[in-house]
Amino acid sequence: MAATLVAQDRPRVLLADDYGALLTAWRRLLEPTCDVVGSVGNGRALLEAAAALSPDVVVADLAMPEMNGLDACRQLKQANPRTKVVLVTAGGDEWVAHAAFRAGASAFVLKHSAADDLLTAIESALIRDTYCTPAVGIRPPDPQ
């Protein structure tokens, strides 16, 4: 990720998950190369924060209270198509990954995947590519 970021500004990242310890871990992982502009605990708060903070990338859990990640992704992409979304879940199969991409996600990652997987997903989203964690075993759709 660092090689790509040398040529551009630090990406602004918004984090969304209802598990505070995970938000803290993601923040620590991303802060060396990204500006983490905020973190929220549910889908409705995600939409409000994204409107106020204009992140380049949103990293969001698929299963959040008040609004799930798929619905939040759809609404976020309608409001700001330029914002890239990386959807993350504890357990996912091919169907869930396909649903994430149909909702407008640029990347799909499993929470138990290596930290490098999340970094790769963000980097791919920033360069207008798509990414799906290899553990799911699907080829992500070509970017639009």
Side-chain angles (χ1 to χ4, degrees):
M1 186 164 169
T4 301
L5 295 179
V6 170
Q8 60 183 312
D9 293 333
R10 289 169 55 96
R12 296 170 47 82
V13 179
L14 174 62
L15 305 174
D17 195 294
D18 58 324
Y19 185 52
L22 187 58
L23 290 173
T24 299
W26 284 347
R27 181 180 289 276
R28 287 185 182 145
L29 173 68
L30 298 176
E31 282 182 334
T33 54
C34 302
D35 289 332
V36 178
V37 297
S39 59
V40 297
N42 67 66
R44 293 209 189 282
L46 165 60
L47 295 177
E48 292 170 9
L53 299 170
S54 300
D56 300 308
V57 179
V58 169
V59 176
D61 185 16
L62 208 61
M64 292 185 289
E66 296 190 37
M67 181 183 297
N68 68 53
L70 289 175
D71 291 338
C73 180
R74 280 186 202 96
Q75 290 186 32
L76 178 63
K77 294 300 285 183
Q78 286 178 346
N80 189 350
R82 290 187 209 159
T83 301
K84 305 300 181 186
V85 179
V86 176
L87 286 177
V88 183
T89 188
D93 56 23
E94 292 178 18
W95 180 88
V96 176
H98 286 297
F101 290 115
R102 282 192 308 272
S106 295
F108 180 80
V109 178
L110 299 178
K111 285 184 179 180
H112 68 270
S113 295
D116 287 345
D117 215 16
L118 181 58
L119 295 171
T120 300
I122 292 170
E123 180 179 333
S124 294
L126 288 168
I127 60 171
R128 297 179 176 238
D129 200 1
T130 53
Y131 178 81
C132 185
T133 187
V136 174
I138 70 161
R139 182 175 184 273
D142 291 330
Q144 300 186 44

